[in-house]
Coordinates of all heavy atoms in Angstrom, one line a residue:
M1 N -11.9 9.4 44.6 CA -11.1 10.0 45.6 C -9.6 9.5 45.5 O -8.7 10.3 45.8 CB -11.7 9.6 47.0 CG -11.1 10.3 48.1 SD -11.4 12.1 48.0 CE -11.2 12.6 49.6
W2 N -9.4 8.3 45.0 CA -8.1 7.8 44.9 C -7.3 8.5 43.9 O -6.1 8.6 44.0 CB -8.0 6.3 44.7 CG -8.7 5.8 43.5 CD1 -8.2 5.7 42.2 CD2 -10.1 5.4 43.4 NE1 -9.1 5.2 41.4 CE2 -10.3 5.0 42.0 CE3 -11.1 5.2 44.3 CZ2 -11.5 4.5 41.5 CZ3 -12.3 4.7 43.8 CH2 -12.5 4.4 42.5
L3 N -8.0 9.0 42.9 CA -7.3 9.8 41.8 C -6.7 11.1 42.5 O -5.6 11.5 42.3 CB -8.2 10.1 40.7 CG -7.7 11.1 39.7 CD1 -6.5 10.6 38.9 CD2 -8.8 11.5 38.7
L4 N -7.5 11.8 43.3 CA -7.1 13.0 43.9 C -6.0 12.8 44.9 O -5.0 13.5 45.0 CB -8.3 13.7 44.6 CG -9.4 14.2 43.6 CD1 -10.6 14.7 44.5 CD2 -8.9 15.2 42.7
M5 N -6.1 11.7 45.7 CA -5.1 11.4 46.7 C -3.8 11.0 46.1 O -2.7 11.5 46.5 CB -5.6 10.3 47.6 CG -6.8 10.7 48.5 SD -7.4 9.4 49.4 CE -6.1 9.2 50.7
T6 N -3.8 10.3 45.0 CA -2.6 9.9 44.3 C -2.0 11.1 43.6 O -0.8 11.3 43.6 CB -2.9 8.8 43.2 OG1 -3.6 7.7 43.9 CG2 -1.6 8.2 42.7
A7 N -2.8 12.0 43.0 CA -2.3 13.2 42.4 C -1.7 14.1 43.4 O -0.6 14.7 43.2 CB -3.4 13.9 41.7
L8 N -2.3 14.2 44.6 CA -1.7 15.0 45.7 C -0.3 14.4 46.1 O 0.6 15.2 46.3 CB -2.6 15.1 46.9 CG -2.2 16.0 48.0 CD1 -2.0 17.4 47.6 CD2 -3.1 15.9 49.2
A9 N -0.3 13.1 46.3 CA 1.0 12.5 46.6 C 2.1 12.7 45.6 O 3.2 12.9 45.9 CB 0.8 11.0 46.9
A10 N 1.6 12.6 44.3 CA 2.6 12.9 43.2 C 3.1 14.3 43.2 O 4.3 14.6 43.0 CB 1.9 12.6 41.9
L11 N 2.2 15.2 43.5 CA 2.6 16.6 43.6 C 3.6 16.9 44.7 O 4.6 17.5 44.6 CB 1.4 17.5 43.8 CG 1.6 19.0 43.8 CD1 2.1 19.5 42.4 CD2 0.3 19.7 44.1
I12 N 3.3 16.3 45.9 CA 4.2 16.4 47.1 C 5.6 15.8 46.8 O 6.7 16.4 47.0 CB 3.6 15.9 48.3 CG1 2.4 16.7 48.7 CG2 4.6 15.7 49.5 CD1 1.5 16.1 49.8
A13 N 5.6 14.6 46.2 CA 6.8 13.9 45.8 C 7.6 14.7 44.8 O 8.8 14.8 44.9 CB 6.5 12.5 45.3
S14 N 6.9 15.3 43.9 CA 7.6 16.1 42.8 C 8.2 17.4 43.5 O 9.4 17.7 43.1 CB 6.6 16.6 41.7 OG 6.1 15.5 41.1
I15 N 7.6 18.0 44.4 CA 8.1 19.1 45.1 C 9.4 18.7 45.9 O 10.4 19.4 45.9 CB 7.1 19.8 46.0 CG1 6.0 20.5 45.2 CG2 7.7 20.8 47.0 CD1 4.8 20.9 45.9
L16 N 9.3 17.6 46.6 CA 10.5 17.1 47.3 C 11.6 16.8 46.4 O 12.8 17.1 46.7 CB 10.1 15.8 48.1 CG 9.2 16.0 49.3 CD1 8.8 14.7 49.9 CD2 9.9 16.9 50.4
W17 N 11.3 16.2 45.2 CA 12.4 15.9 44.2 C 13.0 17.2 43.7 O 14.2 17.3 43.6 CB 11.8 15.1 43.1 CG 12.7 15.1 41.9 CD1 13.8 14.3 41.8 CD2 12.7 15.9 40.7 NE1 14.5 14.5 40.6 CE2 13.8 15.5 39.9 CE3 11.9 16.9 40.3 CZ2 14.0 16.1 38.7 CZ3 12.1 17.5 39.1 CH2 13.2 17.1 38.3
Y18 N 12.2 18.2 43.5 CA 12.7 19.5 42.9 C 13.5 20.2 43.9 O 14.6 20.8 43.6 CB 11.5 20.3 42.5 CG 12.0 21.6 41.7 CD1 12.3 21.5 40.4 CD2 12.0 22.8 42.4 CE1 12.8 22.6 39.7 CE2 12.4 23.9 41.7 CZ 12.8 23.8 40.4 OH 13.2 24.9 39.7
V19 N 13.1 20.2 45.2 CA 13.9 20.9 46.2 C 15.2 20.2 46.4 O 16.2 20.9 46.6 CB 13.1 20.9 47.5 CG1 13.9 21.3 48.7 CG2 11.9 21.8 47.4
N20 N 15.3 18.9 46.3 CA 16.6 18.2 46.5 C 17.3 18.0 45.2 O 18.4 17.3 45.2 CB 16.3 16.8 47.1 CG 15.8 17.0 48.6 OD1 16.4 17.7 49.3 ND2 14.6 16.4 48.9
A21 N 16.9 18.4 44.1 CA 17.5 18.2 42.8 C 18.8 19.1 42.7 O 18.9 20.1 43.4 CB 16.6 18.6 41.6
P22 N 19.8 18.7 42.1 CA 20.0 17.5 41.2 C 20.5 16.3 41.9 O 20.7 15.2 41.3 CB 21.0 18.0 40.2 CG 21.9 18.9 40.9 CD 21.0 19.6 41.9
E23 N 20.7 16.4 43.2 CA 21.3 15.3 44.0 C 20.4 14.0 44.0 O 20.9 12.9 43.7 CB 21.7 15.7 45.4 CG 22.6 14.7 46.1 CD 23.1 15.3 47.4 OE1 23.5 16.4 47.4 OE2 22.9 14.6 48.4
D24 N 19.2 14.1 44.4 CA 18.2 13.1 44.5 C 18.7 11.9 45.3 O 18.6 10.7 44.9 CB 17.7 12.6 43.1 CG 16.4 11.9 43.2 OD1 15.7 12.0 44.2 OD2 16.1 11.1 42.3
K25 N 19.4 12.2 46.4 CA 20.0 11.2 47.3 C 18.9 10.2 47.8 O 19.2 9.0 48.0 CB 20.7 11.9 48.4 CG 21.5 11.0 49.3 CD 22.3 11.8 50.4 CE 23.1 10.9 51.2 NZ 23.9 11.7 52.2
Y26 N 17.8 10.7 48.1 CA 16.7 9.8 48.7 C 15.7 9.3 47.7 O 14.6 8.9 48.1 CB 16.0 10.6 49.9 CG 17.0 10.8 51.0 CD1 17.5 12.1 51.2 CD2 17.5 9.8 51.8 CE1 18.4 12.4 52.2 CE2 18.4 10.1 52.8 CZ 18.8 11.3 53.0 OH 19.7 11.6 54.0
K27 N 16.0 9.4 46.4 CA 15.3 8.9 45.4 C 13.8 9.4 45.3 O 12.9 8.6 45.1 CB 15.3 7.4 45.4 CG 16.7 6.8 45.3 CD 16.7 5.4 45.1 CE 18.1 4.8 45.0 NZ 18.9 5.4 43.9
F28 N 13.7 10.7 45.5 CA 12.3 11.3 45.4 C 11.8 11.3 44.0 O 10.7 11.3 43.7 CB 12.3 12.7 46.0 CG 12.5 12.8 47.4 CD1 13.5 13.5 48.0 CD2 11.5 12.2 48.3 CE1 13.6 13.5 49.4 CE2 11.6 12.2 49.6 CZ 12.7 12.9 50.2
G29 N 12.8 11.2 43.0 CA 12.4 11.1 41.6 C 11.6 9.8 41.4 O 10.6 9.8 40.6
L30 N 12.1 8.7 42.0 CA 11.4 7.4 41.8 C 10.0 7.5 42.4 O 9.1 7.0 41.8 CB 12.2 6.3 42.5 CG 11.5 5.0 42.6 CD1 11.4 4.4 41.2 CD2 12.3 4.0 43.5
L31 N 10.0 8.1 43.6 CA 8.7 8.2 44.3 C 7.7 9.0 43.5 O 6.5 8.7 43.3 CB 8.8 8.8 45.7 CG 7.6 8.9 46.6 CD1 7.1 7.5 46.9 CD2 7.9 9.7 47.8
S32 N 8.2 10.1 42.9 CA 7.4 10.9 42.0 C 6.9 10.2 40.8 O 5.7 10.3 40.4 CB 8.2 12.2 41.6 OG 7.5 13.0 40.7
L33 N 7.8 9.4 40.2 CA 7.4 8.6 39.0 C 6.3 7.6 39.4 O 5.4 7.3 38.6 CB 8.6 8.0 38.4 CG 9.5 8.9 37.5 CD1 10.7 8.1 37.0 CD2 8.7 9.4 36.4
L34 N 6.5 7.0 40.5 CA 5.5 6.0 41.0 C 4.1 6.6 41.1 O 3.1 6.1 40.6 CB 5.9 5.4 42.3 CG 7.0 4.4 42.4 CD1 7.4 4.1 43.8 CD2 6.7 3.1 41.6
Y35 N 4.0 7.7 41.7 CA 2.7 8.4 41.9 C 2.2 9.0 40.7 O 1.0 8.9 40.4 CB 2.8 9.4 43.0 CG 2.9 8.8 44.4 CD1 3.8 9.4 45.3 CD2 2.2 7.8 44.8 CE1 3.9 8.9 46.6 CE2 2.3 7.2 46.1 CZ 3.1 7.8 47.0 OH 3.2 7.2 48.2
W36 N 3.0 9.6 39.8 CA 2.5 10.1 38.6 C 2.1 9.0 37.6 O 1.1 9.2 36.9 CB 3.6 11.0 37.9 CG 3.7 12.4 38.5 CD1 4.8 12.9 39.0 CD2 2.7 13.4 38.6 NE1 4.5 14.2 39.5 CE2 3.2 14.5 39.2 CE3 1.3 13.4 38.2 CZ2 2.5 15.6 39.5 CZ3 0.6 14.5 38.5 CH2 1.1 15.6 39.1
G37 N 2.7 7.9 37.7 CA 2.3 6.8 36.8 C 0.9 6.3 37.3 O 0.0 6.0 36.5
A38 N 0.7 6.2 38.6 CA -0.6 5.8 39.2 C -1.6 6.8 38.9 O -2.8 6.5 38.5 CB -0.5 5.5 40.7
T39 N -1.3 8.1 39.0 CA -2.2 9.1 38.7 C -2.7 9.1 37.2 O -3.9 9.2 36.9 CB -1.6 10.5 39.0 OG1 -1.2 10.6 40.3 CG2 -2.6 11.6 38.7
L40 N -1.7 8.9 36.3 CA -2.1 8.8 34.9 C -3.0 7.6 34.6 O -4.0 7.7 33.9 CB -0.8 8.7 34.1 CG -1.0 8.6 32.5 CD1 -1.7 9.9 32.1 CD2 0.3 8.4 31.9
M41 N -2.7 6.5 35.3 CA -3.5 5.3 35.1 C -4.9 5.5 35.7 O -5.9 5.2 35.0 CB -2.9 4.1 35.9 CG -3.7 2.8 35.8 SD -2.9 1.5 36.8 CE -3.3 2.1 38.5
W42 N -5.1 6.1 36.8 CA -6.4 6.4 37.4 C -7.1 7.4 36.5 O -8.3 7.3 36.3 CB -6.3 7.0 38.8 CG -5.7 6.1 39.8 CD1 -4.8 6.4 40.7 CD2 -6.1 4.7 40.1 NE1 -4.5 5.3 41.5 CE2 -5.3 4.3 41.2 CE3 -7.0 3.8 39.6 CZ2 -5.4 3.0 41.7 CZ3 -7.1 2.6 40.1 CH2 -6.3 2.2 41.2
L43 N -6.4 8.4 36.0 CA -7.1 9.4 35.1 C -7.6 8.8 33.9 O -8.8 9.0 33.5 CB -6.1 10.5 34.8 CG -6.6 11.6 33.9 CD1 -7.7 12.4 34.7 CD2 -5.5 12.6 33.5
V44 N -6.9 7.9 33.2 CA -7.4 7.2 32.0 C -8.6 6.4 32.4 O -9.6 6.3 31.7 CB -6.3 6.4 31.4 CG1 -6.8 5.4 30.3 CG2 -5.2 7.3 30.8
D45 N -8.5 5.7 33.5 CA -9.6 4.8 34.0 C -10.9 5.7 34.2 O -12.0 5.3 33.8 CB -9.2 4.1 35.2 CG -10.3 3.2 35.7 OD1 -10.8 2.3 34.9 OD2 -10.7 3.3 36.9
H46 N -10.7 6.8 34.9 CA -11.8 7.7 35.2 C -12.5 8.3 33.9 O -13.7 8.3 33.8 CB -11.4 8.8 36.1 CG -11.4 8.5 37.6 ND1 -10.5 7.6 38.1 CD2 -12.2 8.9 38.6 CE1 -10.7 7.5 39.4 NE2 -11.7 8.2 39.7
V47 N -11.6 8.7 33.0 CA -12.1 9.3 31.7 C -12.9 8.3 30.9 O -14.0 8.5 30.4 CB -11.0 9.9 30.9 CG1 -11.4 10.3 29.5 CG2 -10.4 11.2 31.6
K48 N -12.3 7.1 30.9 CA -13.0 6.0 30.1 C -14.3 5.7 30.8 O -15.4 5.5 30.1 CB -12.1 4.8 30.1 CG -12.7 3.6 29.3 CD -11.8 2.4 29.3 CE -12.6 1.3 28.6 NZ -11.9 0.0 28.9
A49 N -14.4 5.5 32.1 CA -15.6 5.2 32.8 C -16.6 6.3 32.6 O -17.8 6.0 32.5 CB -15.3 4.9 34.2
Y50 N -16.2 7.5 32.7 CA -17.1 8.7 32.6 C -17.7 8.8 31.2 O -18.8 9.2 31.1 CB -16.3 10.0 33.0 CG -17.2 11.2 33.2 CD1 -18.0 11.3 34.3 CD2 -17.2 12.2 32.2 CE1 -18.9 12.4 34.4 CE2 -18.0 13.3 32.4 CZ -18.8 13.4 33.5 OH -19.6 14.5 33.6
T51 N -16.9 8.6 30.2 CA -17.4 8.8 28.9 C -18.2 7.6 28.4 O -19.2 7.8 27.6 CB -16.2 8.9 27.9 OG1 -15.3 7.8 28.0 CG2 -15.5 10.2 28.1
L52 N -18.0 6.4 28.9 CA -18.8 5.3 28.5 C -20.1 5.2 29.3 O -21.1 4.7 28.8 CB -18.0 4.0 28.6 CG -16.8 3.8 27.7 CD1 -16.1 2.5 27.9 CD2 -17.3 3.9 26.2
D53 N -20.0 5.5 30.6 CA -21.2 5.4 31.4 C -21.5 6.9 31.9 O -20.9 7.4 32.7 CB -20.9 4.6 32.7 CG -22.1 4.3 33.5 OD1 -23.2 4.7 33.1 OD2 -21.9 3.8 34.6
T54 N -22.6 7.4 31.3 CA -22.9 8.8 31.6 C -23.4 9.0 33.1 O -23.5 10.1 33.6 CB -24.0 9.3 30.7 OG1 -25.1 8.5 30.7 CG2 -23.5 9.4 29.2
K55 N -23.8 7.9 33.7 CA -24.3 8.1 35.1 C -23.2 8.0 36.1 O -23.5 8.2 37.3 CB -25.4 7.0 35.4 CG -26.6 7.1 34.6 CD -27.6 6.0 34.9 CE -28.9 6.1 34.0 NZ -29.8 5.0 34.2
A56 N -22.0 7.6 35.7 CA -20.9 7.5 36.7 C -20.4 8.9 37.1 O -20.4 9.8 36.4 CB -19.8 6.7 36.0
D57 N -20.1 8.9 38.4 CA -19.5 10.2 39.0 C -18.0 10.1 38.6 O -17.3 9.1 38.6 CB -19.6 10.2 40.5 CG -21.0 10.3 40.9 OD1 -21.8 10.9 40.2 OD2 -21.4 9.9 42.0
F58 N -17.4 11.3 38.2 CA -16.0 11.4 37.9 C -15.2 11.1 39.1 O -14.2 10.4 39.1 CB -15.7 12.7 37.2 CG -14.4 12.7 36.6 CD1 -14.2 12.1 35.3 CD2 -13.3 13.2 37.2 CE1 -13.0 12.0 34.7 CE2 -12.0 13.2 36.5 CZ -11.9 12.6 35.3
F59 N -15.5 11.7 40.2 CA -14.8 11.5 41.5 C -15.7 10.8 42.5 O -16.8 11.3 42.9 CB -14.4 12.9 42.1 CG -13.4 13.6 41.3 CD1 -13.7 14.8 40.7 CD2 -12.1 13.1 41.1 CE1 -12.8 15.5 39.9 CE2 -11.2 13.8 40.3 CZ -11.5 15.0 39.7
E60 N -15.3 9.7 42.9 CA -16.0 8.9 43.9 C -15.5 9.3 45.3 O -14.2 9.3 45.5 CB -15.9 7.4 43.7 CG -16.5 6.9 42.4 CD -16.2 5.5 42.2 OE1 -16.1 4.7 43.2 OE2 -16.1 5.1 41.1
T61 N -16.3 9.8 46.2 CA -15.9 10.3 47.5 C -16.4 9.4 48.7 O -16.4 9.9 49.8 CB -16.3 11.7 47.7 OG1 -17.7 11.8 47.5 CG2 -15.7 12.6 46.6
D62 N -16.7 8.2 48.4 CA -17.2 7.4 49.5 C -16.0 6.8 50.3 O -14.9 7.0 50.0 CB -18.2 6.3 49.0 CG -17.5 5.4 48.0 OD1 -16.3 5.6 47.7 OD2 -18.2 4.4 47.6
A63 N -16.4 6.0 51.4 CA -15.3 5.5 52.3 C -14.5 4.5 51.6 O -13.2 4.4 51.8 CB -16.0 4.9 53.5
D64 N -15.0 3.7 50.7 CA -14.2 2.7 49.9 C -13.2 3.4 49.0 O -12.0 2.9 49.0 CB -15.1 1.8 49.1 CG -15.9 0.8 50.0 OD1 -15.5 0.6 51.1 OD2 -17.0 0.3 49.5
A65 N -13.6 4.4 48.4 CA -12.7 5.2 47.5 C -11.6 5.8 48.3 O -10.4 5.8 47.9 CB -13.4 6.2 46.7
T66 N -11.9 6.3 49.5 CA -10.9 7.0 50.3 C -9.9 5.9 50.9 O -8.7 6.1 50.9 CB -11.6 7.7 51.5 OG1 -12.5 8.6 51.0 CG2 -10.6 8.4 52.3
A67 N -10.4 4.7 51.3 CA -9.6 3.7 51.7 C -8.6 3.2 50.6 O -7.5 2.9 50.9 CB -10.4 2.5 52.3
L68 N -9.2 3.1 49.4 CA -8.3 2.7 48.3 C -7.2 3.7 48.0 O -6.1 3.4 47.7 CB -9.2 2.5 47.0 CG -8.4 2.1 45.7 CD1 -7.7 0.8 45.9 CD2 -9.4 2.0 44.6
G69 N -7.6 5.0 48.2 CA -6.6 6.1 48.0 C -5.5 6.0 49.0 O -4.3 6.1 48.7
F70 N -5.8 5.7 50.3 CA -4.8 5.5 51.3 C -3.9 4.3 51.0 O -2.7 4.3 51.2 CB -5.4 5.4 52.7 CG -5.8 6.7 53.3 CD1 -7.1 7.0 53.6 CD2 -4.8 7.6 53.6 CE1 -7.5 8.2 54.2 CE2 -5.2 8.9 54.2 CZ -6.5 9.1 54.5
C71 N -4.5 3.2 50.6 CA -3.8 2.0 50.2 C -2.8 2.3 49.1 O -1.6 1.8 49.1 CB -4.7 0.9 49.8 SG -5.6 0.2 51.2
V72 N -3.2 3.0 48.1 CA -2.3 3.3 47.0 C -1.1 4.1 47.4 O 0.0 3.9 47.1 CB -3.1 4.0 45.8 CG1 -2.2 4.6 44.8 CG2 -4.1 3.1 45.2
V73 N -1.4 5.2 48.2 CA -0.3 6.0 48.7 C 0.6 5.2 49.6 O 1.8 5.3 49.5 CB -0.9 7.2 49.5 CG1 0.2 8.0 50.2 CG2 -1.7 8.1 48.5
L74 N 0.1 4.4 50.5 CA 0.9 3.6 51.3 C 1.8 2.6 50.6 O 2.9 2.3 50.9 CB 0.1 2.8 52.4 CG -0.5 3.7 53.5 CD1 -1.4 2.9 54.4 CD2 0.6 4.4 54.3
M75 N 1.2 2.0 49.5 CA 1.9 1.0 48.7 C 3.1 1.7 48.0 O 4.2 1.2 47.8 CB 1.0 0.3 47.7 CG 0.1 -0.7 48.3 SD 1.1 -2.0 49.3 CE 1.9 -2.8 48.0
G76 N 2.8 2.9 47.5 CA 3.9 3.7 46.8 C 5.0 4.0 47.8 O 6.2 3.9 47.5
L77 N 4.6 4.4 49.0 CA 5.7 4.6 50.1 C 6.4 3.4 50.4 O 7.6 3.4 50.6 CB 5.0 5.2 51.3 CG 4.6 6.7 51.2 CD1 3.9 7.1 52.5 CD2 5.8 7.6 51.0
L78 N 5.7 2.2 50.5 CA 6.4 1.0 50.8 C 7.4 0.6 49.7 O 8.5 0.2 50.0 CB 5.3 -0.1 51.0 CG 5.9 -1.5 51.3 CD1 6.5 -1.5 52.7 CD2 4.8 -2.6 51.3
V79 N 7.0 0.7 48.4 CA 7.9 0.4 47.3 C 9.1 1.3 47.4 O 10.3 0.9 47.3 CB 7.2 0.5 46.0 CG1 8.2 0.4 44.8 CG2 6.2 -0.6 45.9
W80 N 8.9 2.6 47.6 CA 10.0 3.6 47.7 C 10.9 3.3 48.9 O 12.1 3.3 48.7 CB 9.4 5.0 47.8 CG 10.4 6.1 48.1 CD1 11.3 6.6 47.3 CD2 10.6 6.7 49.4 NE1 12.0 7.5 47.9 CE2 11.6 7.6 49.2 CE3 9.9 6.6 50.6 CZ2 12.0 8.5 50.2 CZ3 10.3 7.5 51.6 CH2 11.4 8.4 51.4
L81 N 10.3 2.9 50.0 CA 11.2 2.6 51.2 C 12.0 1.4 50.9 O 13.2 1.3 51.3 CB 10.3 2.4 52.4 CG 11.0 2.1 53.7 CD1 11.8 3.3 54.1 CD2 9.9 1.8 54.8
I82 N 11.5 0.3 50.3 CA 12.3 -0.9 50.0 C 13.4 -0.5 49.1 O 14.6 -0.9 49.3 CB 11.3 -2.0 49.4 CG1 10.4 -2.5 50.5 CG2 12.2 -3.1 48.8 CD1 9.3 -3.4 50.0
V83 N 13.1 0.2 48.0 CA 14.2 0.6 47.1 C 15.3 1.5 47.8 O 16.5 1.3 47.6 CB 13.6 1.4 45.9 CG1 14.7 2.0 45.0 CG2 12.8 0.5 45.0
L84 N 14.8 2.4 48.7 CA 15.7 3.2 49.4 C 16.6 2.4 50.4 O 17.8 2.6 50.5 CB 14.9 4.3 50.2 CG 15.7 5.4 50.9 CD1 16.4 6.2 49.8 CD2 14.8 6.2 51.7
L85 N 16.0 1.4 51.1 CA 16.8 0.6 52.0 C 17.8 -0.3 51.2 O 18.9 -0.5 51.7 CB 15.8 -0.2 52.9 CG 15.1 0.5 53.9 CD1 14.1 -0.4 54.6 CD2 16.0 1.2 54.9
V86 N 17.4 -0.8 50.1 CA 18.3 -1.7 49.3 C 19.4 -0.9 48.7 O 20.6 -1.3 48.8 CB 17.5 -2.4 48.2 CG1 18.4 -3.1 47.2 CG2 16.5 -3.4 48.8
S87 N 19.1 0.3 48.3 CA 20.2 1.2 47.7 C 21.1 1.8 48.8 O 22.3 2.1 48.5 CB 19.6 2.3 46.8 OG 18.9 3.2 47.6
D88 N 20.6 2.0 50.0 CA 21.4 2.5 51.1 C 22.2 3.7 50.8 O 23.5 3.7 50.8 CB 22.3 1.4 51.6 CG 22.8 1.7 53.0 OD1 22.3 2.5 53.7 OD2 23.8 1.0 53.4
P89 N 21.6 4.8 50.5 CA 22.3 6.0 50.1 C 23.2 6.6 51.1 O 24.2 7.3 50.8 CB 21.2 7.0 49.7 CG 20.0 6.6 50.5 CD 20.1 5.1 50.6
R90 N 23.0 6.4 52.4 CA 23.8 6.9 53.4 C 24.9 5.9 54.0 O 25.6 6.2 54.8 CB 23.0 7.4 54.6 CG 22.0 8.6 54.2 CD 21.2 9.1 55.3 NE 22.2 9.7 56.2 CZ 21.8 10.1 57.4 NH1 20.6 10.0 57.9 NH2 22.7 10.7 58.2
G91 N 24.8 4.7 53.4 CA 25.8 3.7 53.8 C 25.6 3.2 55.2 O 26.6 2.7 55.8
V92 N 24.4 3.2 55.7 CA 24.1 2.7 57.0 C 24.4 1.2 57.2 O 25.0 0.7 58.1 CB 22.7 3.1 57.5 CG1 22.3 2.5 58.8 CG2 22.5 4.6 57.5
W93 N 23.9 0.4 56.1 CA 24.1 -1.0 56.2 C 25.5 -1.4 56.2 O 25.9 -2.3 56.9 CB 23.3 -1.7 55.0 CG 21.9 -1.5 55.0 CD1 21.1 -0.8 54.1 CD2 20.9 -2.0 56.0 NE1 19.8 -0.9 54.5 CE2 19.7 -1.6 55.6 CE3 21.1 -2.7 57.2 CZ2 18.5 -1.8 56.4 CZ3 19.9 -3.0 57.9 CH2 18.7 -2.5 57.5
K94 N 26.4 -0.7 55.4 CA 27.8 -1.0 55.4 C 28.4 -0.7 56.7 O 29.3 -1.5 57.2 CB 28.5 -0.1 54.3 CG 28.1 -0.6 52.9 CD 28.8 0.3 51.9 CE 28.3 0.0 50.5 NZ 28.8 0.9 49.5
R95 N 28.1 0.4 57.4 CA 28.7 0.7 58.7 C 28.2 -0.3 59.7 O 29.0 -0.6 60.6 CB 28.2 2.1 59.1 CG 29.1 3.2 58.4 CD 28.8 4.6 59.0 NE 27.8 5.1 58.0 CZ 26.8 6.0 58.4 NH1 26.7 6.4 59.6 NH2 26.0 6.4 57.5
V96 N 27.0 -0.7 59.7 CA 26.5 -1.7 60.7 C 27.2 -3.0 60.5 O 27.5 -3.7 61.4 CB 24.9 -1.8 60.6 CG1 24.4 -3.0 61.4 CG2 24.3 -0.5 61.1
S97 N 27.3 -3.4 59.2 CA 27.9 -4.8 59.0 C 29.4 -4.8 59.2 O 30.0 -5.8 59.5 CB 27.7 -5.2 57.5 OG 28.3 -4.3 56.6
N98 N 30.1 -3.6 59.3 CA 31.5 -3.6 59.5 C 31.8 -3.5 61.0 O 33.0 -3.6 61.4 CB 32.2 -2.3 58.9 CG 32.3 -2.5 57.4 OD1 32.3 -3.6 56.9 ND2 32.3 -1.4 56.7
R99 N 30.8 -3.4 61.9 CA 31.1 -3.4 63.3 C 31.4 -4.8 63.9 O 31.1 -5.8 63.5 CB 29.9 -2.9 64.1 CG 29.8 -1.4 63.9 CD 28.6 -0.9 64.7 NE 28.5 0.6 64.5 CZ 27.7 1.3 65.1 NH1 26.9 0.8 66.0 NH2 27.7 2.6 64.9

């Protein structure tokens, strides 16, 4: 399930990046790369597990897999938010510190 959730997040982030391109003021390109990297990692892991263990399900849909998917998506958003706040594309920190 975490593979599907990460792939969906990557797709949404890519659409946001494309709509805002070429400016990318809010760094949707970074968010997209984070999620696509995680999706590729999960895909390799799933293919390897599926080919080596014939009894393994390709997509796990239990509660633990769903919780892991939410955690991965939230961690990606957290990393993106930290980078966005540090880079301060709208200059909010500068305006607040100049008061």
Side-chain angles (χ1 to χ4, degrees):
M1 191 64 159
W2 59 88
L3 172 64
L4 295 174
M5 294 175 73
T6 309
L8 181 64
L11 184 65
I12 292 170
S14 296
I15 290 170
L16 289 173
W17 168 79
Y18 188 79
V19 167
N20 293 306
E23 192 171 312
D24 200 21
K25 186 175 183 179
Y26 296 107
K27 302 192 179 299
F28 289 121
L30 172 69
L31 185 63
S32 175
L33 282 177
L34 286 171
Y35 286 138
W36 281 119
T39 301
L40 183 62
M41 181 183 70
W42 296 131
L43 181 64
V44 169
D45 183 57
H46 277 67
V47 168
K48 181 182 175 193
Y50 187 73
T51 56
L52 294 179
D53 186 12
T54 57
K55 294 180 181 177
D57 294 331
F58 194 79
F59 295 113
E60 297 177 29
T61 56
D62 58 357
D64 289 339
T66 304
L68 180 60
F70 280 118
C71 287
V72 168
V73 171
L74 288 177
M75 287 304 294
L77 284 174
L78 181 66
V79 169
W80 171 72
L81 184 63
I82 289 170
V83 170
L84 190 66
L85 289 175
V86 168
S87 66
D88 194 19
R90 297 183 67 191
V92 174
W93 296 116
K94 290 178 185 175
R95 280 186 266 149
V96 169
S97 65
N98 288 337
R99 286 185 183 183

